[in-house]
Amino acid sequence: MGGTSSITDLLRKAEEALQAKEQDLTKREAAVTEAKGQLDADRQGLEQDRAALAEERDSVVGREKGLRAREKELEQQDRSLSQREQEFESAKQKALTKEQDVLRREEDVARRMEALVKREEELHRRDSEMAASSQEIATRKGEIAARQQDILKLLGEQKSAIESQIQRGTELLSREQRLAKEEDSIASAKAKVAEDQRRLTEREKGLISREQSVRATPAAESAVAAAPAAQPAARPGPRVGPQVAPTPAPARSQPAPQPVTRPIAQPVRAAPEPEPETAEVEAEGEAGEIPCPACGTMISSDAIMCYACGHRLQEETTEGDTGEIPCPACGTMISSDAIMCYACGHRLAAEDEDKASKKGGGAPKKVLKKKVI
């Protein structure tokens, strides 16, 4: 029994040893497989490293080429920098000259500022003087206001006088209108008379022409031969020239021919002298003519209405000259229509009234010029 137990123990121990060896073998195989995998990975890493090295070589070659190109660019930049340095030095010199000019200008500005300060001081002095003068002006304005009140009173008095003068002027205008109407009626009557005279002259001319034609007939010649002494008196016209004697007709054959006597030239009456008014009108008409603004008919330059359309032209009025005159008291130039001097207060209304009373005239009258056309 003891021998069998030892064999089994040995077998067990051998089996255990075999199992341990098998486990070691499996472990070694696993380690070998792992080593193989690591070797394969190392090979792949080496291949990748080789490819990376090749790429690095290519990149290094490209970098060398780029560095050489950059070296050339840097050389060009150095040259440009040297040129810029030269330009900078020239600009520096220009800036220095400009700074000197600026310094000179600053000195001029300082001088001008001093002059301005002096002017400001003078202006302050003038302002003080102006303030004093403004006070004086205020006092004078008060005096002028008092004088203006006096002037207003005088103006009220003058207003009443002017109203009376206006009433007189309206009366004179109404009279002048009446006279103008009368002149219009007289002008129409004169025009009718002129037309009648023209018709009469035309009739007289017709009668004279008829008488001349009658004298030229052979019956008139026989009457002249029978009674040479009896000559009919011809009626002269107002503006007819000397008549020409008719030529005698050839005498007929008769046993006792009588001498033919020519008619005696009759005295010609002088043309009637024109009236003084019409002569003046003709003289004025020759002076100048203007077209009517309404119808365009040529009329005299001094006519007050158109004889064709009746358009009334602008009335001529006499107005006093406006201007300035010296004050008789202080000599200050004032308006010619002022009633008192604004400087010394001298009244001029009294002198104007005295002058007006001496001249005997009031307000200027409107004068209407009428012309018969």
Side-chain angles (χ1 to χ4, degrees):
M1 288 293 293
T4 54
S5 60
S6 61
I7 292 166
T8 53
D9 291 331
L10 290 169
L11 288 170
R12 287 178 183 174
K13 289 179 180 178
E15 286 177 358
E16 289 177 357
L18 288 170
Q19 288 178 356
K21 286 180 180 180
E22 285 178 359
Q23 288 178 355
D24 292 331
L25 288 171
T26 53
K27 288 179 181 179
R28 286 179 182 178
E29 286 177 358
V32 169
T33 54
E34 287 178 0
K36 284 181 180 180
Q38 287 178 357
L39 288 171
D40 293 331
D42 292 334
R43 285 177 184 176
Q44 291 176 357
L46 289 171
E47 289 176 357
Q48 289 176 358
D49 291 335
R50 285 178 183 175
L53 288 171
E55 290 177 357
E56 286 179 358
R57 282 179 186 176
D58 296 333
S59 64
V60 166
V61 171
R63 286 177 183 176
E64 286 179 355
K65 291 179 180 179
L67 289 171
R68 289 175 183 174
R70 283 187 180 179
E71 284 179 357
K72 292 179 180 179
E73 290 177 357
L74 289 171
E75 288 177 356
Q76 291 178 357
Q77 288 179 358
D78 290 333
R79 292 175 184 174
S80 63
L81 286 171
S82 62
Q83 291 178 357
R84 287 181 181 177
E85 285 177 355
Q86 292 176 359
E87 292 175 357
F88 181 72
E89 288 178 357
S90 62
K92 262 187 179 180
Q93 292 177 357
K94 291 179 181 179
L96 290 172
T97 54
K98 287 182 179 179
E99 284 179 357
Q100 291 176 358
D101 294 334
V102 168
L103 290 172
R104 292 175 184 173
R105 289 179 182 177
E106 286 179 353
E107 291 176 356
D108 294 334
V109 169
R111 292 174 185 173
R112 290 179 182 177
M113 289 292 288
E114 291 177 356
L116 288 172
V117 170
K118 291 180 181 178
R119 287 182 182 177
E120 286 180 355
E121 291 176 355
E122 291 178 358
L123 288 172
H124 286 301
R125 292 175 185 174
R126 289 180 182 177
D127 289 334
S128 60
E129 292 176 357
M130 289 291 290
S133 62
S134 62
Q135 291 178 357
E136 293 178 358
I137 289 166
T139 55
R140 288 184 181 179
K141 281 183 179 179
E143 295 175 357
I144 290 167
R147 290 176 182 176
Q148 283 179 353
Q149 291 178 357
D150 298 334
I151 289 166
L152 290 173
K153 292 179 182 178
L154 294 171
L155 286 173
E157 296 175 358
Q158 281 190 355
K159 186 178 180 181
S160 60
I162 288 167
E163 287 177 353
S164 62
Q165 289 179 358
I166 288 168
Q167 290 178 358
R168 292 178 184 175
T170 52
E171 292 175 358
L172 291 171
L173 284 173
S174 61
R175 289 180 185 176
E176 287 180 357
Q177 288 176 358
R178 291 175 187 173
L179 290 172
K181 290 179 181 179
E182 291 177 359
E183 287 178 356
D184 291 334
S185 62
I186 291 166
S188 61
K190 285 182 179 179
K192 290 179 181 178
V193 169
E195 288 180 359
D196 293 336
Q197 286 181 356
R198 184 175 57 78
R199 290 175 183 174
L200 288 172
T201 53
E202 289 178 356
R203 287 180 183 177
E204 287 177 357
K205 288 180 181 179
L207 291 171
I208 290 166
S209 62
R210 286 180 184 177
E211 287 177 358
Q212 289 178 357
S213 63
V214 168
R215 287 177 185 175
T217 57
E221 291 178 0
S222 63
V224 169
Q231 295 291 336
R235 187 178 180 181
R239 293 183 181 178
V240 180
Q243 297 180 357
V244 180
T247 57
R252 295 179 182 179
S253 60
Q254 293 180 0
Q258 296 180 359
V260 179
T261 59
R262 293 183 180 180
I264 300 169
Q266 297 179 359
V268 179
R269 295 180 183 178
E273 295 181 358
E275 296 180 0
E277 293 181 357
T278 57
E280 291 177 0
V281 169
E282 291 176 359
E284 290 176 358
E286 293 176 358
E289 292 182 352
I290 57 172
C292 175
C295 63
T297 306
M298 296 302 291
I299 58 176
S300 178
S301 60
D302 56 353
I304 62 170
M305 66 182 293
C306 179
Y307 67 89
C309 64
H311 180 72
R312 194 168 186 82
L313 303 177
Q314 187 177 2
E315 297 179 355
E316 296 181 0
T317 58
T318 58
E319 297 179 357
D321 296 333
T322 59
E324 293 184 351
I325 57 172
C327 175
C330 63
T332 305
M333 296 302 291
I334 58 176
S335 178
S336 60
D337 55 353
I339 60 173
M340 68 181 292
C341 178
Y342 65 88
C344 63
H346 181 71
R347 291 184 62 183
L348 303 174
E351 295 181 359
D352 293 337
E353 290 175 0
D354 294 337
K355 290 179 181 178
S357 62
K358 288 179 182 179
K359 290 181 180 179
K365 299 179 181 179
K366 291 184 179 179
V367 179
L368 297 174
K369 293 179 73 178
K370 183 69 178 179
K371 179 182 175 182
V372 179
I373 299 174

